[in-house]
Amino acid sequence: MIHKFEMEENLTSYKGYRIDDTAEWRLVIYLSAQGMSAYLKNIENPLEQIVTLFEEKWQEDESALLRRIETAVYDHPQLLDDFSTEIVICTSRPLWIPDEFAGDYEEQARLYNIVYKAEEEDIFSESFNGMTCLFTLAPGLQSFLRRTISGARISSHLGVLARRFTGRGGEMPRIYVDIREGMADFVALDDRKMLLAATHEWRSPDDIAYHVFNLMDIYGLDPANTQVSFSGLREVKQQLVKQLREQISFVMLTMMPSAVQKSDMPITAAIALAKS
């Protein structure tokens, strides 16, 4: 049973949900440069509705980002309860390297700083399918999260997508594209081998189509024997499905968790919630 409660103090308000047993619930926190949100799902009762604890949007400003995240956490203390928690970080600065080159933290920082700039203590690391993803969002964020939400699994949004799509397998190479405002995430697979997971900016659907064909060219994928699936912004993905079907044999919409279809929840948050 879940109960809603509110309390007000010093002209601020906090809306939370009283939960009898936190072990029965999964908490997913989604962080990006443009906002933060948090969701709860009952893992014992799949019929229980997903709870949106909060959703906040803000203007992108790296100098203020950590302070905004800290404020959101302290304004919503239920995030600190003893849930099974996954934090999904949506970042435009991921770097994938083979596990054998990942080395220790110092080596990871050295490799990361060849492409981007970040202090060693600000670089997150996750391993998947023989690859390590290095990523960051804001200076001081890793220290804050480890200190306040200890025990949480921290994933990049690309890592969440890669794990989801690789687990599906397939008889032909596949390219999955998730379309967000101004950004599109690409995951390319050959059977269960990940070829690429990357994020690209776009201004028009033609930019996304360009990246799809560029991926196919780089990895030698045959348009007659490659599946391309789109998710995300409805009008854009529908336009691309119609457009690319003239040149690629298998173009479709990606089947996504029902939570994505019923709300504006980021796809990677819904995937993290849907895990068994």
Side-chain angles (χ1 to χ4, degrees):
M1 179 69 67
I2 188 166
H3 308 279
K4 178 178 175 180
F5 68 88
E6 296 183 355
M7 66 180 181
E8 295 185 359
E9 184 177 356
N10 298 329
L11 302 181
T12 63
S13 64
Y14 166 61
K15 181 174 70 173
Y17 296 84
R18 183 174 294 114
I19 290 175
D20 296 329
D21 185 358
T22 57
E24 295 182 356
W25 292 81
R26 175 179 294 118
L27 170 65
V28 169
I29 301 170
Y30 179 85
L31 301 175
S32 76
Q34 298 82 30
M36 178 176 178
S37 50
Y39 311 92
L40 281 169
K41 179 183 178 181
N42 191 311
I43 56 180
E44 298 296 329
N45 180 9
L47 298 180
E48 183 82 56
Q49 68 177 357
I50 291 175
V51 176
T52 300
L53 287 178
F54 71 93
E55 294 177 323
E56 293 190 14
K57 301 291 185 182
W58 49 63
Q59 291 293 319
E60 185 169 345
D61 179 359
E62 184 171 345
S63 65
L65 182 55
L66 179 62
R67 175 178 53 80
R68 286 170 171 161
I69 293 172
E70 290 174 337
T71 299
V73 170
Y74 292 133
D75 282 349
H76 301 87
Q78 194 163 26
L79 300 183
L80 307 180
D81 287 350
D82 190 24
F83 294 108
S84 171
T85 302
E86 181 161 359
I87 300 171
V88 179
I89 296 179
C90 182
T91 173
S92 60
R93 293 174 289 178
L95 177 67
W96 290 89
I97 57 176
D99 282 347
E100 57 265 32
F101 297 119
D104 57 18
Y105 294 129
E106 183 177 348
E107 178 63 9
Q108 291 177 8
R110 186 190 71 81
L111 293 172
Y112 190 81
N113 277 274
I114 294 174
V115 182
Y116 304 107
K117 297 299 179 185
E119 297 297 326
E120 179 180 323
E121 62 268 20
D122 294 325
I123 301 172
F124 296 92
S125 172
E126 64 175 328
S127 293
F128 166 74
N129 203 20
M131 300 290 290
T132 294
C133 183
L134 306 176
F135 58 100
T136 189
L137 185 63
L141 178 60
Q142 177 158 212
S143 176
F144 172 71
L145 294 178
R146 300 296 188 194
R147 185 172 66 250
T148 56
I149 314 178
S150 60
R153 175 176 182 172
I154 300 177
S155 304
S156 68
H157 74 292
L158 287 175
V160 172
L161 290 175
R163 289 195 298 270
R164 166 81 176 198
F165 297 139
T166 301
R168 292 184 169 188
E171 296 181 356
M172 65 178 67
R174 297 156 349 264
I175 298 174
Y176 294 93
V177 186
D178 183 55
I179 305 165
R180 301 178 279 124
E181 288 289 350
M183 306 292 284
D185 301 313
F186 298 77
V187 177
L189 304 166
D190 189 355
D191 192 14
R192 294 182 182 273
K193 177 184 177 183
M194 186 179 74
L195 303 176
L196 170 140
T199 299
H200 295 290
E201 295 183 7
W202 64 274
R203 291 193 176 93
S204 77
D206 286 342
D207 296 331
I208 299 173
Y210 165 80
H211 287 299
V212 169
F213 285 114
N214 189 49
L215 276 174
M216 298 179 75
D217 183 58
I218 290 173
Y219 292 101
L221 305 181
D222 183 356
N225 190 40
T226 298
Q227 173 185 308
V228 179
S229 300
F230 291 97
S231 60
L233 296 179
R234 182 183 300 274
E235 292 184 3
V236 180
K237 68 183 180 183
Q238 289 178 341
Q239 176 181 334
L240 284 165
V241 167
K242 182 179 180 180
Q243 175 183 339
L244 296 187
R245 278 178 175 167
E246 299 177 1
Q247 299 166 278
I248 301 173
S249 298
F250 303 94
V251 183
M252 61 200 68
L253 299 179
T254 307
M255 294 296 293
M256 284 289 106
S258 59
V260 175
Q261 303 170 19
K262 298 178 181 177
S263 71
D264 293 328
M265 183 188 305
I267 184 176
T268 46
I271 290 172
L273 278 174
K275 292 189 308 182
S276 58

